[in-house]
Amino acid sequence: FTNDKMMMNRPVHGHTKKVNWHNHYIIDELWLMIFECLQAPQIFSSQFVCSKWYKIITKYNIMERNELCCYYTKNKLGQKIGGKYKTLGIGLSIKPKLNGNGIEIHSQMDILSLSAWKNGCKIGVWGEQLTHFLPLVMNKKHAELADDAIHQYLKKIQQEYARIKDEQYEIRNQNKYGNQYQPRDKDQKKRNQNELDKYIDRNN
């Protein structure tokens, strides 16, 4: 590595002053924010500047982050199209277990954009059927831009989970008690769901 001390002379008010870029006040997160703004060739060159930069770039997988893109639209992380930044996430397959007890949630973890999902992309890279979309945090900037979508789609996942659990509850009791079983009041179930939604909104 070329310079592990990372000392630089800077003119300050006519005097030369040394700046230590490895000062403990310059935390890794600051370098991370800088590296995420670079292009792939610049990131590649930066990792050979000093051992500290090399460790940060490899620890946080900066090169891999730079290459993250939607498998359908090829939109990249942090890419701005039509004046809007693209929200990236993953597709999920949510369905009840075959034995009727519990829920299966699967994902191949392939990156998918929200715009692709809204345009009807419900098939994964390997041909699996997707039922839900989950925006990911990725980094601080993406988390801020995708905040509304994250809450919106998490709520849809929660509602689907509750719906499947209710169905399984009804089926188990019908099988157990037969004609003697009285289904739960649907209005009461709706009121319970509304109360749960209000609780989630209050604690977001």
Side-chain angles (χ1 to χ4, degrees), residues 180-195:
Q180 297 179 351
Y181 173 67
Q182 296 293 326
R184 289 188 293 180
D185 181 8
K186 292 184 178 180
D187 290 334
Q188 181 61 45
K189 286 167 60 178
K190 187 174 182 180
R191 287 194 293 271
N192 291 342
Q193 182 63 50
N194 290 338
E195 288 299 318

Side-chain angles (χ1 to χ4, degrees), residues 124-139:
V125 173
W126 303 102
E128 70 277 12
Q129 188 70 39
L130 304 176
T131 61
H132 289 77
F133 178 75
L134 177 62
L136 298 180
V137 171
M138 300 290 193
N139 56 36

Side-chain angles (χ1 to χ4, degrees), residues 34-50:
I34 294 171
F35 292 143
E36 286 180 339
C37 297
L38 303 179
Q39 299 299 317
Q42 297 169 320
I43 298 172
F44 180 78
S45 300
S46 298
Q47 65 183 332
F48 299 111
V49 170
C50 66

